[in-house]
Amino acid sequence: MKGLASVLLLPTLVVATSLLLGYGSGYPLQFLSAGLAVLLAWQLLQLWRLLRWLGNSDSAAATPNHRGAWSQVYAAIGQLRENRAGNDGDLRSALRAFRQSADALPDGVAVLNEHRQLVWLNRAAADLLGLDSARDRGQRITNLIRKPKFVKFIGQHEHPEPLVIRGRGKPRRQLSLQLVTYGDNQQILMVRDVTRERQVEKMRRDFVANVSHELRTPMTVITGYVDEMLTDRALIGEWGPQLDTIMAQAARMKAIVTDLLRLSRLESALEDAGYEAVALAKVLSSIRLEAIARYSEGTAISIEVSPDAALLGDYQELYSALSNLVDNAVKYTGETGAVRVRFEQQADGSAKLSVTDSGPGISAKHLPRLTERFYRVDKGRDRERGGTGLGLAIVKHVLQRHNAELVITSSPGEGSCFACVFPPERVTLLAAETRNAGAA
Ligand code: ADP
């Protein structure tokens, strides 16, 4: 009400005074129009002053002195300005607190926009990645870190596994990078120094490799002597079964040592496997013959692979991975079962090499742990069958080095399927002459 009264006060006064003077002088209309014109001019002047005041960026600029309705307009706008200044201050101090806490983090954090340009990074990220927050902001991250592995990592749609690269500067650090996508295709790049972890891991690997290596010579000596003792009829008469057991256990230990060494070599390899063309038909048929000779002559093993199918990789590694899968299938399926090895190319250029058996199958709770070293579904039964417990761990590492994946599907009583899925860049076809040379 107070506001309305102050708005109406001035026009009422002007109209009343104009009419009074107009009737007094005999020219009411002329006085009224002159009065209204003066009122309009005054209001326009006030409006212009208000606009000029609003245009003044200094929010603390003095509020013009006014009375009536205009003083209330100025007071309301002044209040709004003060509130906004307060909010800006709050925001600024919240932002400062956030930056300080982010800078105190031991791990690096960098924010990338949808064009993969650097928006912001904390102190640890700048230090670990060798970047300068002020200089590099706005640059594409792939221009700042040009390692091909990193460029490929950034280009991927999904990043389930972190990427490990060497950092810049001295000392050379091993960095683990993880990408999380959020909001409108923006990303957070998290950087962790894993140098120490990697060193401990390397020490563990070296220790296993050295122990395995050291055990080889004593094992060879023991088996050599037992071999010789087994040719002595008198000894066989008295110690025959014991010597056979020593021989079998020594052979088992030798197999474990060999697999441990193979695994540690695979783990320590830094680069991916090479790109040698490996003819599958030939490899699989010799694996088949070996598996039959080693485990079972009765198991039906079928191989479905076209004669020109080939993988690009390391011959020895692929041979050992595939023979582990076929050996397992034959070993656990037994005489009465069937094993099917099948190579299929998929529409997207990738390929699936699956080993399916009609064996006992594996319940779901074991599947995620099968590739762990020495993990066995049934410890007693599986050890008796003569495995080292390292076969699937070797398969997993070989496939990783070939950018491939192991997919296991199985359920008790329904057999198992171990499928290796190779990406398109690892799949090829053999030229006719290579094929014939391979078959010869
Ligand atoms: P092992 O030398 O004991 O066979 P692996 O690493 O090759 O070791 O396999 C790990 C475990 O996975 C085996 O001990 C066995 O319990 C299970 N397994 C592997 N392949 C099969 C299969 N085809 N059918 C049933 N169980 C299997």
Side-chain angles (χ1 to χ4, degrees), residues 157-394:
H157 288 297
E158 285 175 18
H159 307 88
E161 295 288 327
L163 170 76
V164 177
I165 59 167
R166 265 171 204 270
R168 292 202 289 203
K170 297 241 157 77
R172 295 305 287 286
R173 287 182 285 202
Q174 300 263 356
L175 306 178
S176 162
L177 308 180
Q178 232 172 336
L179 262 183
V180 182
T181 306
Y182 72 99
D184 208 4
N185 198 19
Q186 281 122 314
Q187 290 184 320
I188 294 179
L189 176 67
M190 288 180 285
V191 192
R192 216 158 57 81
D193 183 351
V194 291
T195 316
R196 180 88 194 113
E197 279 167 44
R198 290 264 153 165
Q199 274 166 353
V200 173
E201 175 69 10
K202 185 174 178 308
M203 272 161 56
R204 183 193 64 76
R205 269 200 318 263
D206 290 351
F207 174 75
V208 174
N210 290 337
V211 170
S212 313
H213 201 74
E214 293 296 327
L215 282 175
R216 265 179 133 174
T217 319
M219 291 314 306
T220 314
V221 174
I222 293 170
T223 45
Y225 277 121
V226 178
D227 238 357
E228 228 174 280
M229 288 157 98
L230 279 170
T231 57
D232 186 328
R233 280 172 184 260
L235 266 179
I236 295 177
E238 204 175 339
W239 293 97
Q242 288 87 338
L243 288 176
D244 283 343
T245 310
I246 295 176
M247 202 58 186
Q249 291 301 323
R252 199 167 109 70
M253 217 161 145
K254 224 170 159 183
I256 292 177
V257 166
T258 309
D259 272 2
L260 276 174
L261 276 173
R262 194 173 287 156
L263 200 52
S264 92
R265 242 174 259 131
L266 286 169
E267 279 183 324
S268 2
L270 290 174
E271 302 297 324
D272 284 348
Y275 281 79
E276 177 193 347
V278 179
L280 281 172
K282 196 175 155 222
V283 165
L284 290 172
S285 86
S286 93
I287 287 177
R288 176 177 176 275
L289 291 177
E290 277 179 19
I292 290 174
R294 209 176 297 150
Y295 293 105
S296 154
E297 291 188 357
T299 319
I301 308 177
S302 69
I303 294 184
E304 295 164 38
V305 56
S306 75
D308 54 358
L311 289 173
L312 292 171
D314 180 289
Y315 180 88
Q316 293 296 345
E317 289 183 19
L318 287 172
Y319 196 102
S320 105
L322 299 179
S323 78
N324 266 315
L325 292 180
V326 176
D327 280 2
N328 275 351
V330 176
K331 190 165 78 178
Y332 294 106
T333 300
E335 298 271 318
T336 49
V339 172
R340 183 180 183 207
V341 183
R342 194 183 153 111
F343 182 79
E344 310 156 81
Q345 221 162 327
Q346 327 258 3
D348 63 357
S350 64
K352 189 161 109 180
L353 200 158
S354 52
V355 180
T356 313
D357 65 57
S358 61
I362 307 161
S363 71
K365 69 173 188 228
H366 296 293
L367 296 183
R369 301 197 58 190
L370 283 188
T371 55
E372 286 174 20
R373 284 145 222 243
F374 301 114
Y375 187 84
R376 288 176 170 116
V377 172
D378 180 334
K379 284 201 170 44
R381 179 202 71 182
D382 298 344
R383 210 177 275 139
E384 250 170 47
R385 297 197 190 201
T388 61
L390 296 166
L392 290 181
I394 292 177

Side-chain angles (χ1 to χ4, degrees), residues 4 30 73 87 210 275 368 396 417:
L4 183 66
Q30 287 83 339
V73 170
N87 288 342
N210 290 337
Y275 281 79
K396 185 179 108 176
C417 174

